[in-house]
Amino acid sequence: MGFRESLEEVCGVEGAVAASVMGFDGIAVDTVMPAKTDVDLEALLVEYAGILGQVKQAAEVLQTGKVSELSIGTDRITTLLRPINPEYFLLLAMRPEGNFGKGRYLLRVTAPKLQNEF
Amino acid sequence: MGFRESLEEVCGVEGAVAASVMGFDGIAVDTVMPAKTDVDLEALLVEYAGILGQVKQAAEVLQTGKVSELSIGTDRITTLLRPINPEYFLLLAMRPEGNFGKGRYLLRVTAPKLQNEF
């Protein structure tokens, strides 16, 4: 299964507005945006790539092991991020009323599958 | 109910190792550490205060509204953070096998109560 199919599967969760495979450098490999939102998703992807990079650096400093996931909730959008490998991560953005638990589960099962695509 | 009692209540979740009321400047108002861990919690509190501050700045840039919560999962520790007001936030650190959903719920109900303590 390729990136596109996996991203579409992740977007099966209620409230999904975007899913992306991205590099820690902020450059997206592939993105699907199944629903309209007035949030600037392209800017969000780049900002959050930077934050996930900082979380990764903090984990190295603190010696807490690898980062498994990051979630950021704001009034207008909830975003879940999960590293695929040291260079790339999977991201799911959803409306705040979306199904957080299901989104978290979908990233958990999908990220390992994507490791084979790199 | 004061900080200490609220923090002890938050630590009622399975797997809790620390709970803290902290300033975004990285200075803790009060912290309880109900269980031993070899993670350097004092360093973690300061690092994560900085990351939450960056998430807040990103939310301003992206105009996604107020930050409601942040969670950071690593191999050795899972941490949940929730702003109380623009200067202070509530943090719960737990073992990765701890009850994430219950921890998230406890921060959600406790943070608004602490607003009255400032």
Side-chain angles (χ1 to χ4, degrees), chain B residues 1-13:
Chain B
M1 191 157 67
F3 292 138
R4 178 56 57 122
E5 293 81 355
S6 295
L7 292 176
E8 281 166 356
E9 213 169 83
V10 165
C11 283
V13 65

Side-chain angles (χ1 to χ4, degrees), chain A residues 35 42 63:
Chain A
E42 298 209 1
Q63 298 180 294

